[in-house]
Every structure is written in C-alpha cells, then in structure tokens.
Amino acid sequence: MEEYGVAPGQCVAIIWDSSSPVEALKDLVNKIQALVGADNRVSVENINQLSQSAHKESSFDVILSGVVPGSTTQHSAEVLAEIARILKPGGRVLLKELVVTESENNSTIKTAAKLPTALTLSGLVEVKELQKEALTPEEAQSVRAHLGYQGSDLLIVQIEGRKPNFEVGSSSQLKLSFAKKPGLSGKPSVDPATAKLWTLSANDMNDEEMDLLDSDELLDSEDLKRPDPLSLRAPSCKEMGKKKACKNCTCGLAEELEQEKSSSQPKSACGNCYLGDAFRCASCPYLGMPAFKPGEKILLKENQLHDA
C-alpha cells in the first residue's frame, strides 16, 4: 500500500460516502488493516457522520477520504475542518475528489483550482496535487445518479496535505536570555564604512567639489531692518475694544478706570442740583454752590463729599 503512504503501527481513518462501492470499500479496509496491524488501528467512517463520530483531537496518523475505487466524493468545508481536527500533528491526509475544469453557476462541485485552497483554509499545510484522472464510465454514471450532474468536464483529482507539527491553540514558552555575552561591550559596534559616511573632516571642507552655503545669503534686506518698537507692543485692552481691564492688566487701563472712578461726579438723587440751593436737598453735596448748567463738570472739595 505504498500508494497510500501507510506504515505499520499507524492509526488510519478511511472515509467513504454513498457513491463508494461496498465491495471496493471492504477490499480497501482489509488491505489497510493487514498493513497497520490487527489492533483495531483502522476506523471506517461515513462522510456524513464524521462530525458525530466523537473522535478525539489528534487521533489518526493518516486519513484516507474518497480513495475507495469508484467513489465520487465531495468534501465540504465542515468535513475538511473535522479531518484537520482529528489528524495528529504532522499527520497526512490523502483524498480524491470530483472536480470540474471550469466553474458553473449552478454547480456545487469545486474546480480543480479551488480544491487546494479549500484544504489550506481548513488548516492543512504542504498541500499539493498528485494527479488527475478522467472518470470511468461507472464513475460518470455514479455522478449522474448521486449528484444529477450531466456535464462532461469532470475529473478525479488526488491531493494530499499535512497537519502542522502543533495543535491548534497550543502554546510554548520562549526562552529569552538578556545576559550580556562575553567579549561584548555595552555599546553596539559601528561599521567603519558607515561611520566614515557621517564624518566631515577638514580635508572635506577644502574639497573643490563640495559647495558650502553661506547662511547670510539666506537673509534679504527686509530681514536686516530693525523692527519698530511700537509694532512689538501688544495691543492694549482699550485698543482691543474692552471696557473692563484684565485681571493682570499692564496696559494702564486699570489705573485709568480707577482714576475716573475717584474723580467722577456724584450722581444727583433728585436731578435738580444744577438749579441752585432752592431746589437742593439738605444733604446735597452741591449745597452752597451757585447754579450750573446740566452736565457741567464741577469740582468739589474733599469735605463736601459725604454720605447722606
């Protein structure tokens, strides 16, 4: 059984479907059983019941699917994923599948180009096509009976793949050493050729081919003019249209407002102060002063300013 790559002592699973001839299946099982030994190392599974077979992960060294002579097996994505699950790390899968040469919209049969991709997406590696062969008349009749396909562009492709040498979800601790190796200093070594590229010597400065740029040539006449001090002064609060001074006012608006407040005219309660004493209250600050025009600025002595 060199064609199947089975060795003595290995655990092998043979997957068949409704298209597999019974006698051919029995003959294959007997041959594989005789090769691996009589310790129940061969498991025979129907492709439609594979996911319900309750096999543990990493159970088989080799899985043969669709290899029963006369079979026209189709492997769905779920079947391929289950095959990858029960295959041991590093294990081998060999399958045969019916394919079409060109894709058809109404066909559920894979193309020869998509079959390797399907195995890769299921988690298998080292996927390679081994051979293609035309259908026998018996196989073509089986396709028409089981799949209802009437086309003539059909082939049987034999393909193999392997499971990676680790289980899905496995982890391994990395051994990292941060100790300094003997003979190495703390500073990384520098390539002399690299260091030379970034070194400028006096001889390089005298090189006729080197064109140095004078930084003064980057300035024009406008850059050399002394700026007007007024243009450097920040605008005052009043120039910015503010009626109140800032908290830390430095433009003089705060002092100006304070001076206006201290020298402002007292407001008249009755509005008749400018008419004269006959119209003024007893507590009027203008009492004893001559009449004046409304809005006229009157200077009062300090002793005349008192609360009513």
Side-chain angles (χ1 to χ4, degrees):
M1 303 301 291
E2 184 178 352
E3 59 179 311
Y4 298 122
V6 178
Q10 289 184 325
C11 293
V12 181
I14 300 176
I15 302 174
W16 60 280
D17 69 347
S18 57
S19 67
S20 304
V22 177
E23 294 301 324
L25 174 60
K26 289 181 180 180
D27 183 58
L28 177 62
V29 172
N30 291 334
K31 290 179 180 179
I32 299 295
Q33 188 73 60
L35 182 59
V36 300
D39 298 333
N40 295 324
R41 294 182 178 274
V42 178
S43 177
V44 182
E45 299 291 346
N46 182 279
I47 195 170
N48 296 321
Q49 303 296 324
L50 183 61
S51 59
Q52 283 79 36
S53 59
H55 288 296
K56 295 181 179 179
E57 294 182 355
S58 306
S59 298
F60 299 100
D61 299 290
V62 178
I63 295 179
L64 306 175
S65 181
V67 300
V68 179
S71 299
T72 54
T73 308
Q74 293 287 290
H75 299 84
S76 64
E78 292 75 14
V79 169
L80 293 175
E82 181 64 14
I83 289 176
R85 187 186 71 84
I86 62 178
L87 194 63
K88 291 182 179 180
R92 176 173 174 267
V93 57
L94 176 68
L95 61 84
K96 287 186 177 182
E97 180 159 341
L98 179 73
V99 299
V100 293
T101 56
E102 294 182 2
S103 178
E104 295 186 13
N105 295 332
N106 297 328
S107 175
T108 58
I109 304 175
K110 300 183 187 71
T111 61
K114 290 185 178 180
L115 182 57
T117 303
L119 269 69
T120 302
L121 293 176
S122 68
L124 300 176
V125 297
E126 300 179 24
V127 177
K128 58 182 178 180
E129 182 182 298
L130 301 179
Q131 67 179 22
K132 292 179 182 177
E133 55 188 29
L135 272 68
T136 63
E138 293 78 9
E139 290 171 338
Q141 184 178 359
S142 176
V143 171
R144 288 191 292 269
H146 294 90
L147 301 178
Y149 187 82
Q150 303 299 325
S152 59
D153 56 338
L154 295 173
L155 294 173
I156 294 292
V157 172
Q158 182 172 319
I159 192 169
E160 72 170 357
R162 292 187 180 275
K163 186 172 182 176
N165 291 320
F166 55 86
E167 192 57 77
V168 176
S170 60
S171 61
S172 177
Q173 185 176 2
L174 297 177
K175 296 181 180 180
L176 301 177
S177 177
F178 296 97
K180 294 183 178 179
K181 296 182 180 180
L184 295 179
S185 60
K187 296 182 179 180
S189 60
V190 179
D191 184 8
T194 304
K196 185 178 180 180
L197 292 175
W198 294 96
T199 304
L200 189 65
S201 66
N203 294 331
D204 295 328
M205 300 294 291
N206 296 327
D207 191 350
E208 295 180 356
E209 296 181 358
M210 180 172 288
D211 188 13
L212 298 179
L213 183 64
D214 186 0
S215 59
D216 292 337
E217 295 180 358
L218 301 176
L219 302 176
D220 55 23
S221 58
E222 292 295 328
D223 296 324
L224 300 176
K225 289 183 179 180
R226 184 186 297 274
D228 184 4
L230 295 179
S231 64
L232 302 177
R233 183 178 63 84
S236 64
C237 299
K238 183 179 293 186
E239 291 173 346
M240 296 179 64
K242 293 183 178 181
K243 296 183 179 180
K244 293 184 179 180
C246 300
K247 184 177 181 180
N248 299 319
C249 180
T250 58
C251 66
L253 180 60
E255 290 81 357
E256 183 179 345
L257 294 177
E258 186 64 28
Q259 184 178 2
E260 290 180 358
K261 183 178 179 181
S262 60
S263 61
S264 60
Q265 298 285 341
K267 293 184 179 180
S268 173
C270 61
N272 298 323
C273 301
Y274 70 94
L275 296 175
D277 287 345
F279 300 92
R280 294 169 181 162
C281 305
S283 60
C284 182
Y286 298 102
L287 194 63
M289 297 183 63
F292 53 86
K293 295 179 180 179
E296 183 180 356
K297 187 173 182 179
I298 305 298
L299 296 178
L300 299 175
K301 295 182 180 180
E302 191 67 26
N303 58 0
Q304 290 179 291
L305 297 175
H306 58 82
D307 294 335

